[in-house]
Structures are given as C-alpha cells and as structure tokens.
Amino acid sequence: MIIQPRTRGFICLTAHPEGTAKNVQDQIDYVKSKGKIANGPKKVLVIGASTGFGLSSRIATAFGSDAATVGVFFEKPAAEGKTGTAGWYNTAAFEAAAKDAGLYAASINGDAFSDEIKKQTIDLIKKDLGQVDLVVYSLASPRRTHPKTGVAYSSVLKPIGQPFTDKTVDFHTGVVSDISIAPVENEEDIANTIAVMGGEDWKFWLEDLKAAGVLAEGVKTVAYSYIGPELTYPIYHNGTIGRAKEDLQNTVPVLDDLLKDLHGKAYVSVNKALVTQSSSAIPVVPLYISLLYKVMKEKGIHEGTIEQMQRLFTDRLYTEGEVQLDSEGRIRVDDWEMRADVQEEVSKLWAQATTENLEEISDIKGYRDEFFHLFGFNFNGIDYNADTNELVGVPSIG
Ligand code: NAD
Ligand code: NA
C-alpha cells in the first residue's frame, strides 16, 4: 500500500516499513562507527525494546557489544488497511540486521506488566540463553493493569499543588500558545501515576527473573528517568510523573538488596529530553525540546537516543572501575543538556518564543523531522508515493 503520515493530535497513526528500517539502520551504523563497548553485556533483556531509548539500548548492546538480545514490547502488525506500528517495523528491521550479523535476537509482543508475558520471557531466556547479564527497563505507558489485583491504573501528567501556566507549542503547526494545566485533585492521581510509571513493575520483573534463576552473576539492571530544567519542573519533576520517577529511584536499593547475592546492581539513568512517542505527549516539553535542540546543535553537543545509549553503555555502565553516579546515586547522561551555558540560552529563548519567531529561534523543524522519523517519514531517498509492502513480520514472532 501507499503509506503517508496520518496524524491525530500528537500521535501518528501510520508508520512506513522502509523508513523505520532506515531509522534502525542509521542507528546501527552509528553504533558500529563508535567501535566496541569494552567488557560490554553479552546477553541482554530489554523491556520496552521497540522504540525510543529501549530500541536504542537494544541496538547499542547488540551492535556495540555483540550481545544476544531479547526484546519485550507492545506493538501491532499490519491489519486490514492499517499499517503496523513503528515499533513493530523497527523490530522487524532490527531482527533482520541482527541475523545478518550473526547475532541472536528474539522478541516477545504483549503486555509487559502481566505475569504471563514475564513467564513467556523467562521461558524464552531459559530455552535460548540460559541467563541474562543486563536487564534494561524502558517502558513508557499511560496505563497498567496490576498483575496481582487486576486493577487498571491510568497515569496523569499534572502539576501538584497549584495550576501551571506557561507556553506550549503545537509542533505540527508551530503555534505557540499559553496553556494552563490544573493540578491533581486528589492523592489518587499521584498514586495511579506511580502505579503505572513507578518502580513496582521493574521490581516484579527482577524478582521473577531471579526466582527463575535466569539472572547471571554480576547482573546489571537499568531503568530510565528524566529530570529536566526548572522551567518544566511544575509539569515534570515536581508533577505526578516526577513522583513516579522518584518511586523508580527508590526501587534501586530494593533491587540492590535483591541482587546482592549475585553481586548484581541496579541503576537509574537520567537521560536527555528527546523526541519520542512518549515525550511528544507531554505539554510544554516539545517547546522546550525544540529550543534545546537549537542550542545543543549550535554547540555541537546534540544527541539522539542512540548517541545517548551508546554513551551510557560505553562511558557509564561498562567502564573500568566504579560507575560514575551523582550525589543521589543516579547515572547522568543528561549532563550536556543540564550544562549551565545550555540552560541559560534555552531560558533566554524561552522568554522570547512566539509563533512569529519560532522558526528562527528554535529547531522546531528538527523536532518535526525527528517526530516523523520515529514513524519512518521525512527521510530523503524514500519515495512516499510508491507502493510498499506493509505486511512485514517480526521473524521471531512469526
Ligand atoms: P517510547 O514510547 O519510545 O517507548 C516505550 C516502549 O515501551 C515501547 O517499546 C513500547 O512498545 C513499550 N511498552 C509500552 N507499554 C507496554 C506494555 N504494556 N507492555 C510491553 N511494552 C510496552 O518511550 P521512551 O521515551 O523511549 O521512554 C522510555 C523510558 O525513558 C521512560 O521511562 C521515559 O520516562 C524515559 N525517558 C524519556 C525521555 C524522553 O525525553 N523521551 C527522557 C528521559 C527518560
Ligand atoms: Na523505549
């Protein structure tokens, strides 16, 4: 079928198999260009492996460390008149490239929050790999059904305490406007968001993996977090999602304890703000990202998810000696984003930003391009008017 972008709000309903394959191949090429990760992981489980930071983690460990990878995600293949999801096509492309390179890769498609998918994953690891030495936890979801109680939780993106009013942008149209977001009305909103995006499911995964004996001696596990500048504190760091991230951080000592007898270690890595399917849904953040990209590109320190993950594994998680942590025990690969000179310039631009000057003072074009790249669109060299086969399958799922 002929596949063109079709958007509704901040989501894109279609994805292009060849374009997403190009996105994956570009990431593989980047990782290869950086050489091997010394003493990197060899058997890796990535939970949330199909898009964003999780996909880049899978690519960075496979092609940077010759790792066998098991990827867990929730994606859809093509069905009557509908394209598959970007993460489905990403995985198909990844698995094909991994196979060509002689690397083991297998995937599990289903609800990672469920006991059933955890069991399927464990069975697959037992059968094919025996054990894993790295578990990457990179889920981003608006909902979670609790596996023990069946309660369905929905997360909210709200400030806590007072309403938050600031600028935001519709990145499709470039219109900058004020947005007011009402604070949570009750503690339940906070608790629900923690239930979805906090550390409980990460803990459940590690408990089940350990009980099944599929964690290797010296295993590491890493989950991803974000802090960002004061500008976005009300909606992010000090908001409901920030509480969930705090809970994720509080899970680190619990997991360290669980993994102690394996000499294993848990980490939270604070990553840079980047265009992903999840971050485009957060108010205010796309405007911040489009200004941040402008400043970081000008300074020559811009990174995408693959550059971030390559740096995480090379310079942080698998370095000689101790893993470098901040005063609160977190890995920081948002260090360049948070540099004072970067943040000062972003703040200045933030104060100036209007619909009229946005194209000039921000990288809104880069934002838009990257958003469409997530779905395989806006790539040079791909004919989006040509017929393409949407019925691409993930080989290991069939
Ligand atoms: P993303 O939307 O690109 O990826 C989410 C992944 O989770 C996908 O693979 C998806 O299939 C999977 N997933 C979602 N629900 C699932 C379910 N029920 N079962 C199985 N798989 C499921 O998101 P992302 O931006 O890469 O976010 C990953 C992590 O990184 C999150 O913890 C996020 O908070 C964090 N992070 C994001 C940013 C950013 O700017 N995007 C910055 C720092 C940290
Ligand atoms: Na991810």
Side-chain angles (χ1 to χ4, degrees), residues 38-92:
N39 304 309
K42 289 295 166 215
K43 295 176 180 180
V44 181
L45 168 62
V46 182
I47 303 155
S50 53
T51 59
F53 283 109
L55 172 66
S56 294
S57 302
R58 191 175 196 186
I59 293 171
T61 52
F63 289 90
S65 187
D66 297 324
T69 58
V70 171
V72 181
F73 47 77
F74 209 174
E75 302 292 349
K76 289 195 182 105
E80 359 74 58
K82 277 190 176 166
T83 74
T85 54
W88 179 267
Y89 293 141
N90 287 340
T91 304

Side-chain angles (χ1 to χ4, degrees), residues 331-360:
I331 293 176
R332 305 298 294 262
V333 284
D334 65 338
D335 47 347
W336 300 347
E337 169 182 0
M338 298 314 291
R339 256 170 48 176
D341 60 319
V342 171
Q343 286 303 322
E344 270 164 36
E345 285 184 40
V346 171
S347 299
K348 269 189 218 150
L349 293 172
W350 182 269
Q352 296 165 20
T354 61
T355 306
E356 290 66 37
N357 66 20
L358 193 69
E359 292 280 339
E360 188 192 328

Side-chain angles (χ1 to χ4, degrees), residues 324-386:
Q324 212 184 306
L325 302 174
D326 71 6
S327 59
E328 319 236 342
R330 302 168 297 209
I331 293 176
R332 305 298 294 262
V333 284
D334 65 338
D335 47 347
W336 300 347
E337 169 182 0
M338 298 314 291
R339 256 170 48 176
D341 60 319
V342 171
Q343 286 303 322
E344 270 164 36
E345 285 184 40
V346 171
S347 299
K348 269 189 218 150
L349 293 172
W350 182 269
Q352 296 165 20
T354 61
T355 306
E356 290 66 37
N357 66 20
L358 193 69
E359 292 280 339
E360 188 192 328
I361 72 164
S362 82
D363 188 31
I364 189 72
K365 193 187 162 303
Y367 189 106
R368 216 175 273 140
D369 258 349
E370 226 170 88
F371 177 80
F372 284 109
H373 285 171
L374 297 175
F375 303 91
F377 298 112
N378 280 25
F379 282 114
N380 293 327
I382 291 180
D383 181 357
Y384 293 103
N385 293 312

Side-chain angles (χ1 to χ4, degrees), residues 3 32 46 53 68 76-77 97 106 127 151 162 167 169 171 183 191 199 210 213 236 243 283 291 322 328 398:
I3 304 174
K32 284 184 170 170
V46 182
F53 283 109
K76 289 195 182 105
K127 178 167 75 74
V151 175
Q162 56 243 42
K167 293 176 185 179
V169 69
F171 62 85
K210 188 183 177 206
Y236 201 99
R243 290 295 180 87
L291 296 170
E322 292 284 295
E328 319 236 342

